[in-house]
Structures are given as C-alpha cells and as structure tokens.
Amino acid sequence: MKDIDAIAVLQEPVRRRLYDYVTAQGREVGRNEAAEAVGVARTLAAHHLDRLAEAGLLESGSRRLTGRSGPGAGRPAKVYTRAPAELAVSLPARDYRTAAELLAEATEEAGLDAELCAAARRRGEALRGSESPDSGLEEAMETLAARGYEPHLEDASAGQAAPVVRMRNCPFHAVAERFPPLVCGMNLALLEGLFGQAGPVRARMDARPGECCVVLEHSKSNEN
C-alpha cells in the first residue's frame, strides 16, 4: 500500500480516534480497552483496528491480557501497537530526508558539531520568542506536543529520583538513526534554547530504545 493510501485510511473518524489512542499509550492495547476508550462497540473497534493493521499503521499480535499462563489463563487476545514504519506524503514529490542526511554527513566530516548545536540553540530561542520559559513540566509538555514529540510524564515511581518528561517520538528520527551523536546533540541544543538554560525546566540526554534521546525535568535551581 502506498503511503498516501495508508494515510487516507485515517480519514474515517472512529478509525482515527482508535489510532490516536493506541499510539498514545506506548504499549500493546487490546480491543476491549481501545473500544472503551473511544466509546464504540468492541466489534466495530476490532474492524477498524484490523484495517489500520492492514494499512501498515499498526502492528498486531496476541498475548494473554490476564498476565497468567497455563490452564485457566484464557485465550490470547489480539493486541495492537504503532508500526515502526515512517509514512510521508509530499505533492509534488520532495526528498528532504536525503538533503538532511547529506548535510549531516558533511557537518560530521567537517567537525562542525559545536557550530550546529549553537545554531540549534539559537533556533530554539527564536521559536520561543520573547516569552518567558515555560513555568513547569505540564506547560513544557504542551509545547513539545505541538512540535510532534509526543511527550508523557514518567513519575518518580518508575525508577526516577524525580518526575521526568519523556518523548515517544523524535521528529528527527530518520536522520538520527544514521548520525546519532550529531543529531541528538542538535536536538538537545534546540530544546535548551526552546526552554531556556536557566529556566524552570531543563533538558538532558537520557536515551532509551524507541524514544527521543532527550528528557525534560525540573531544573535543580527551581526545586524546593
């Protein structure tokens, strides 16, 4: 299926709500949960979820949702997660990814990492404009969501000393896969400029597979 055809699948309103719900969870989602979340019947949810999987927008599998195994554990249920493939449509056709990769390659070979980070920090400051840095993590999450990072709050009980904002999506993922130190450093500098290096939240590196390499946390100088 062509990218434009796969994206067109999302035009159906219920299907789009199901897709948005599944992708926002960052884990496997069963049919019952998805149906309840968007307020539709399970059979209708199953139809649309399978259609999304056929289009390559979701991946499907099966597991026991009870957490038990052996006799009496019940049959495995069908579950869905976001597909890793990246879809893009440009009319007329454009190839910005190749241009970005060539620029990244030239920057890396020329040893211009510091200059790239300085430019990224300036761009972040320009995007913020004259506004003061965001006052907390919730406001920062709104800013990140608007830029496609898909932020979520991970509280201290998840192994962190304090709450942090992690991001399920990296807007620069395709280029970051080929040039991780260069692009991740650029991303960190961009967010430092966007939120202010002396503001109430700070950005730092904390890479995890499948997520953005940068996290946000309360600035040490603003902790009680």
Side-chain angles (χ1 to χ4, degrees):
M1 180 177 288
K2 294 180 179 179
D3 284 5
I4 192 169
D5 295 324
I7 292 172
V9 169
L10 294 172
Q11 286 187 317
E12 206 287 327
V14 173
R15 197 174 296 156
R16 178 59 185 268
R17 297 206 309 273
L18 285 163
Y19 175 79
D20 288 343
Y21 178 78
V22 171
T23 58
Q25 305 315 303
R27 56 173 172 79
E28 293 177 329
V29 174
R31 288 171 167 175
N32 287 340
E33 177 187 347
E36 184 176 349
V38 303
V40 299
R42 182 185 182 280
T43 52
L44 180 61
H47 166 74
H48 286 306
L49 289 167
D50 285 341
R51 185 72 182 90
L52 289 164
E54 291 169 6
L57 296 167
L58 297 180
E59 286 189 343
S60 63
S62 61
R63 67 177 177 86
R64 288 187 173 91
L65 299 179
T66 61
R68 297 178 296 169
S69 59
R75 296 176 58 187
K78 200 163 187 179
V79 292
Y80 303 83
T81 56
R82 174 163 47 191
E86 183 176 315
L87 303 179
V89 175
S90 177
L91 298 173
R94 298 287 188 261
D95 190 5
Y96 299 114
R97 175 174 175 175
T98 296
E101 290 178 347
L102 288 171
L103 289 168
E105 183 177 349
T107 299
E108 194 170 73
E109 290 180 353
L112 297 175
D113 303 49
E115 288 80 358
L116 175 63
C117 287
R121 196 169 287 110
R122 290 194 299 271
R123 174 58 64 90
E125 292 169 352
L127 290 171
R128 173 162 47 92
S130 59
E131 296 180 6
S132 299
D134 289 288
S135 59
L137 293 181
E138 290 187 3
E139 292 82 357
M141 288 175 66
E142 293 178 5
T143 301
L144 292 167
R147 303 201 63 80
Y149 282 93
E150 297 184 7
H152 64 100
L153 187 66
E154 185 176 273
D155 60 33
S157 65
Q160 299 288 337
V164 298
V165 173
R166 296 189 179 274
M167 294 164 269
R168 294 193 176 99
N169 182 52
C170 171
F172 317 110
H173 174 73
V175 186
E177 279 194 314
R178 286 198 57 191
F179 306 93
L182 181 74
V183 177
C184 290
M186 177 199 75
N187 188 24
L188 174 62
L190 177 71
L191 295 181
E192 286 176 342
L194 186 61
F195 295 108
Q197 292 179 269
V201 300
R202 75 179 184 104
R204 64 174 173 84
M205 288 284 195
D206 189 7
R208 277 187 181 178
E211 293 189 345
C212 178
C213 58
V214 180
V215 300
L216 291 185
E217 62 186 6
H218 288 292
S219 175
K220 300 294 184 183
S221 60
N222 286 274
E223 293 178 353
N224 295 325

